Amino acid sequence: MKTGLVLEGGAMRGLFTAGILDVMMEEGIYVDGLIGVSAGAAFGCSYKSGQKGRTLRYNLKYAKDKRYCSLYSLITTGDLYGADFCYHRLPEELDIFDNQAFTENPMEFYLVCTDVRTGKPVYHQCETADYTTMEWFRASASLPLVSRVVSVDGYELMDGGIADSIPLTYFESIGYEKNIVILTQPKEYRKTANKAMPLAKWKMRKYPNMIARMERRHLDYNSTLDAIAGRENDPNLLVLQPECPLPIKRIEKNPETLQRVYDMGRDLALRRLEEIRAFVG
């Protein structure tokens, strides 16, 4: 029976997930496969490469760097998170991502994007972390209002969270029968309709299927949460999520806040460590 990790996104809320993953690495707890969406993929890749602490380290160091995430980057490049800086210069030069370890680790790694032409999810397996793979990571985390459409491998892609925010059903469909799902919102959270849809419709006007998907995203997301909540006693599902709303904005530059949210993830993982260990076996 294969065991998987399902990681939702949430921009800087993903540091909560990073705290959990770092504890799992410290304790030598690994699974057979991981699927991540947006920040879940961008931060989760360090779990496969075995680089404990890397996600927190580079976010603390570069959070205030205008090349990393800024209005300056949005105006000058079209991306709030600088495409070249975040997905190429940083992992290749400034805080080197261990591509060899990522490639040699037999754990399967998938990410989710949304095809802007069809509005459907695209599930992509990353076997190595080369330039093209980093473009897939960028696509998975490219939010429509503050990013450009990413062209990679013949697709036109954006944020995977639009089409499948919590890809548990997909992972189960490809053989991952036992799964740890790490969410970045508390149990009572439910998403509301996007207030920025009028602007989104204008910006994405070339992609009607994408607009339709965005309009019902909150309904799809809440339906998935309800399905997960209904499996509370399922022995093949372990849900880890904050016990209260995380005290962080989607875009966060305060190092103390970043550290605090990361520590909240660590704290939860340590308190539930034996449960996690027993579940993974």
Side-chain angles (χ1 to χ4, degrees):
M1 182 178 288
K2 292 200 296 184
T3 301
L5 264 173
V6 179
L7 311 180
E8 80 160 324
M12 286 304 157
R13 292 198 309 272
L15 283 170
F16 173 83
T17 301
I20 295 174
L21 296 181
D22 279 357
V23 169
M24 292 177 66
M25 281 190 273
E26 290 169 5
E27 298 295 327
I29 301 173
Y30 286 93
V31 295
D32 299 302
L34 181 157
I35 186 166
V37 183
S38 191
F43 294 170
C45 61
S46 291
Y47 176 73
K48 178 171 165 66
S49 66
Q51 292 177 278
K52 183 180 75 70
R54 180 177 180 270
T55 298
L56 177 66
R57 181 176 63 242
Y58 74 71
N59 275 287
L60 289 178
K61 185 171 183 179
Y62 296 107
K64 296 183 179 181
D65 191 314
K66 67 180 182 180
R67 299 168 298 174
Y68 183 65
C69 174
S70 66
L71 183 60
Y72 169 85
S73 176
L74 179 61
I75 293 171
T76 58
T77 72
D79 294 295
L80 183 67
Y81 284 88
D84 183 67
F85 183 81
C86 293
Y87 295 97
H88 300 294
R89 187 174 178 196
L90 197 159
E92 293 169 11
E93 302 174 18
L94 302 176
D95 196 320
I96 296 174
F97 183 75
D98 193 338
N99 186 20
Q100 181 176 348
F102 182 93
T103 303
E104 293 177 353
N105 186 338
M107 181 182 75
E108 294 182 329
F109 190 100
Y110 293 80
L111 55 73
V112 187
C113 298
T114 301
D115 186 323
V116 299
R117 293 174 292 195
T118 66
K120 296 180 179 180
V122 177
Y123 305 99
H124 178 73
Q125 183 176 1
C126 305
E127 296 181 346
T128 186
D130 58 11
Y131 185 96
T132 300
T133 299
M134 288 298 174
E135 288 295 281
W136 277 95
F137 280 112
R138 178 164 78 91
S140 183
S142 290
L143 303 173
L145 290 178
V146 292
S147 308
R148 295 169 293 167
V149 173
V150 180
S151 300
V152 58
D153 287 339
Y155 290 98
E156 299 290 315
L157 303 169
M158 296 203 84
D159 176 29
I162 294 166
D164 194 354
S165 296
I166 309 168
L168 173 61
T169 298
Y170 173 77
F171 226 35
E172 290 178 328
S173 77
I174 62 171
Y176 285 89
E177 300 173 76
K178 290 182 64 177
N179 288 285
I180 298 174
V181 177
I182 302 181
L183 305 177
T184 59
Q185 296 282 12
K187 189 173 183 179
E188 66 276 8
Y189 175 80
R190 291 296 182 274
K191 190 179 290 293
T192 57
N194 186 353
K195 295 179 181 179
M197 271 311 301
L199 180 58
K201 285 182 177 180
W202 177 82
K203 185 170 184 186
M204 304 301 295
R205 59 193 179 278
K206 291 170 53 180
Y207 307 107
N209 291 322
M210 181 70 160
I211 291 172
R213 195 81 192 211
M214 292 173 69
E215 286 185 308
R216 69 173 189 271
R217 181 189 179 189
H218 64 295
L219 301 175
D220 294 338
Y221 181 81
N222 293 341
S223 177
T224 301
L225 288 182
D226 291 341
I228 290 173
R231 296 173 57 181
E232 189 171 3
N233 297 317
D234 187 338
N236 291 325
L237 183 64
L238 177 63
V239 179
L240 303 175
Q241 63 192 128
E243 294 165 344
C244 61
L246 294 174
I248 193 169
K249 302 185 292 290
R250 289 181 65 85
I251 309 302
E252 182 62 66
K253 297 181 178 294
N254 186 330
E256 292 181 359
T257 302
L258 298 173
Q259 181 74 54
R260 180 182 177 190
V261 169
Y262 170 84
D263 289 341
M264 290 174 72
R266 287 190 59 88
D267 177 69
L268 180 73
L270 290 169
R271 285 188 285 111
R272 299 185 65 180
L273 183 59
E274 294 312 312
E275 185 181 2
I276 296 169
R277 197 192 307 276
F279 183 85
V280 174

